[in-house]
Amino acid sequence: MIRLYDSARAAVAPLEPRDAGRVSIYLCGPTVYDLPHLGHGRHALVWDVLRRWLTFTGLQVRFVSNITDIDDKIIARADAEHVGEEAITATYEAAWWAALDALGVARPDEAPHATAYVEAMVDLIEELVDRDVAYELDDGVYFDVSSVTDYGLLAGQSLESLRSGARVETNLLKRSPLDFALWKNAKFGEPSWASPFGPGRPGWHTECVVMSLGLLGDGFDIHGGGLDLKFPHHENERAQAVALGRHFASHWVHHGWVMVGEEKMSKSLGNFTSLTDLLAQTDARAYRLLVLRSHYRSPIEVSPATMKDAERALARLDALARRFELAPLAGATLEVAASVEWSEEGRALYDVVAAAMENDLDTPAAVAVLFEALTRANALADEGDEHRARSLAEAVAACFAGLGLRLVAAEAALDDESADLVARRDQARSARDWASADRYRDELVTLGWIVEDGPTGTVVRRG
RNA sequence: GGCGGCGUGGCCGAGUGGUUAGGCAGGGGCCUGCAAAGCCCCGUACUCCGGUUCGAAUCCGGACGCCGCCUCCA
């Protein structure tokens, strides 16, 4: 079974699924008030890779990722644009899914919306009040963090040291600056729901407790998100569950951030902040490869240079697919390794990749192994060992499929002009008219093709 | 102030007590009409100072530098 770093234990620990053969994952999704950025993209990719890999190895994964569609920022944006909150959330949720689709990230099994769970949240808050771990103030209901003895577990700090570091005070009546809002009373014009505490809306930290426990049940396996959610969001989620006597997530997994490098983000770098913009100007698979080539807990630098690097590496993978005419494997569907017919060397490769993956999702090691195998497959083919070369190449593609990266062999469709140039060049070459052949090649290059001479003659592809 | 992370060859980026990470870029060679693709060879890195050890990039201590969290955030 895979071993993953658990933020609660501050150590790598084996994942011990509640139900054998099944893994339940709850992921904190986006608040839909703006376009997704590169960080969201990495986030989505990291979890897509984990989910796909677990599925690939034969586990049955139930993957839930929520949409936060009620929040202060949504209200603020709706106000600023003089539209309803639903207009904002509809727009940006659509943008979210569009970006994930473009990244080749599989949709969650369920994507619950916070607004559909308000009643359940109210019930939960009432129970917390009944248990005397929450209290009402003029502007809402607050959770009393001192009621949870190990508050600060995820942050790795004591309640006292967290308190001493608190910087922002929003409500001086709170018993502790760390106490957080469970319910916010509605101000004039704000969207609201009825509750025993008066009309208002839930605080952010409650929705994930209700939805994760509601959909996945007590003791679900993995709760994940970005490192920035560890505290206070996840800490606060956990506090509520603990206060209720519920068994919450057994494994907490957090990933690192996207850095925009020392060049700092600026317009001159080409708007490299929005995921939508990145996807418009590069192959989404290159971003996945970039993400795979660093460890999920490390920061990654996304810049034109690192993207270019990834694109070139990706080109080698596609070249392998072309050489062996590999069929596409990964896509919207989740591949299962059990259905892959491994050759002997393919199975050996898979075992090494799997060992890397099980070691806290060591994708960089897995990718390194796959690149070595790629070189070996090409070398075997050069030596004429077509059979072993092919089986190894197929295994490389299958393993990448397990990581959600599709190798593309497909040629772009030729327009008439290009097709004509290709025919002329082949003619010139068979007549050993190198000058003409080179001229036609130059023309094809000018049209944006990369020109190669294969056994069947001129082959072109898009660069 | 508290807590945590990081500093690796031109660049990106793993690793973790002794054996080649890997990729990109660069140099040389093979192949090719010339290329492209592919293959082979090449750089001998680990912030600094001490210490532990037969042996440290890897463990311990210290210094310097960088970053993050403690407030909304993937």
Side-chain angles (χ1 to χ4, degrees):
Chain A
M1 183 51 67
I2 193 167
R3 293 180 301 117
L4 290 170
Y5 186 85
D6 176 19
S7 301
R9 282 172 279 188
V12 174
L15 183 70
E16 290 163 348
R18 177 185 57 188
D19 310 312
R22 296 163 182 272
V23 178
S24 45
I25 302 177
Y26 184 89
L27 181 59
C28 286
T31 301
V32 283
Y33 71 97
D34 202 354
L35 290 175
H37 60 243
L38 296 181
H40 292 106
R42 183 195 194 185
H43 160 84
L45 286 167
V46 163
W47 289 96
D48 189 60
V49 167
L50 174 65
R51 174 199 192 180
R52 281 180 191 274
W53 184 260
L54 293 179
T55 304
F56 189 69
T57 61
L59 292 161
Q60 207 167 92
V61 180
R62 186 147 175 233
F63 189 81
V64 177
S65 179
N66 73 300
I67 297 286
T68 298
D69 57 352
I70 177 63
D71 174 86
D72 292 353
K73 289 195 189 113
I74 293 169
I75 295 170
R77 181 133 195 179
D79 279 352
E81 297 186 10
H82 305 294
V83 296
E85 279 76 18
E86 322 74 43
I88 298 297
T89 56
T91 299
Y92 293 110
E93 181 175 348
W96 171 259
W97 296 122
L100 296 209
D101 286 349
L103 278 175
V105 170
R107 296 280 180 110
D109 294 310
E110 282 163 281
H113 290 67
T115 51
Y117 285 80
V118 175
E119 263 184 58
M121 286 190 248
V122 169
D123 290 345
L124 183 145
I125 296 166
E126 270 195 283
E127 201 180 333
L128 290 171
V129 172
D130 287 347
R131 287 178 179 245
D132 206 28
V133 296
Y135 55 93
E136 287 189 57
L137 293 180
D138 283 350
D139 62 347
V141 181
Y142 289 86
F143 184 90
D144 177 1
V145 296
S146 70
S147 64
V148 175
T149 51
D150 62 355
Y151 189 84
L153 178 74
L154 291 176
Q157 294 196 65
S158 68
L159 188 60
E160 196 39 57
S161 65
L162 282 167
R163 179 178 296 149
S164 69
R167 282 172 288 171
V168 178
E169 189 47 275
T170 50
N171 185 333
L172 294 171
L173 295 172
K174 287 200 296 185
R175 294 178 192 167
S176 161
L178 295 170
D179 289 354
F180 56 92
L182 294 166
W183 188 259
K184 297 179 175 183
N185 293 159
K187 298 191 194 85
F188 180 75
E190 287 183 348
S192 69
W193 287 260
S195 86
F197 334 107
R201 64 180 186 279
W204 178 40
H205 308 305
T206 301
E207 61 178 270
C208 294
V209 182
V210 169
M211 295 187 287
S212 62
L213 288 174
L215 291 167
L216 297 173
D218 278 48
F220 64 92
D221 299 309
I222 299 175
H223 193 126
L227 215 39
D228 43 1
L229 293 189
K230 192 160 75 164
F231 190 93
H233 185 54
H234 287 163
E235 191 78 52
N236 289 166
E237 283 184 39
R238 185 180 169 279
Q240 293 170 77
V242 169
L244 291 170
R246 304 286 296 268
H247 180 15
F248 209 41
S250 47
H251 223 101
W252 292 88
V253 178
H254 296 101
H255 65 263
W257 293 297
V258 167
M259 313 297 278
V260 189
E262 58 274 304
E263 321 230 337
K264 85 184 161 196
M265 84 171 149
S266 67
K267 288 129 206 161
S268 62
L269 278 183
N271 301 325
F272 257 110
T273 44
S274 149
L275 188 52
T276 310
D277 287 344
L278 177 82
L279 295 174
Q281 53 186 277
T282 188
D283 189 329
R285 298 177 303 140
Y287 192 32
R288 183 180 290 259
L289 186 57
L290 180 66
V291 166
L292 286 171
R293 291 203 307 179
S294 71
H295 189 82
Y296 75 93
R297 287 194 280 122
S298 301
I300 58 169
E301 186 182 334
V302 181
S303 67
T306 59
M307 282 302 300
K308 192 75 197 163
D309 192 301
E311 282 170 26
R312 288 184 171 144
L314 179 64
R316 274 189 77 197
L317 296 177
D318 284 346
L320 184 81
R322 272 200 310 282
R323 179 170 192 176
F324 294 96
E325 298 177 317
L326 302 174
L329 285 173
T333 57
L334 300 163
E335 291 289 325
V336 179
S339 70
V340 175
E341 287 176 32
W342 299 103
S343 58
E344 195 178 321
E345 41 278 278
R347 181 76 209 185
L349 177 66
Y350 168 77
D351 287 344
V352 176
V353 170
M357 293 298 285
E358 287 180 3
N359 178 26
D360 195 22
L361 211 63
D362 192 353
T363 56
V367 169
V369 165
L370 290 169
F371 267 94
E372 283 176 345
L374 171 149
T375 299
R376 203 145 32 94
N378 277 136
L380 284 167
D382 285 352
E383 291 161 15
D385 193 342
E386 206 47 53
H387 181 73
R388 287 177 62 208
R390 164 163 296 279
S391 62
L392 198 53
E394 285 173 348
V396 169
C399 287
F400 270 116
L403 301 171
L405 191 72
R406 186 178 73 255
L407 275 50
V408 174
E411 301 295 334
L414 270 181
D415 56 278
D416 290 347
E417 185 190 3
S418 302
D420 186 53
L421 285 168
V422 166
R424 284 167 184 272
R425 178 160 191 272
D426 282 338
Q427 238 169 19
R429 288 190 71 226
S430 47
R432 307 184 68 82
D433 176 4
W434 310 126
S436 301
D438 289 352
R439 201 173 63 246
Y440 293 131
R441 176 166 59 198
D442 290 344
E443 288 184 39
L444 283 164
V445 168
T446 304
L447 290 171
W449 296 102
I450 290 174
V451 181
E452 293 179 17
D453 296 339
T456 58
T458 298
V459 177
V460 299
R461 63 188 162 89
R462 285 299 177 191

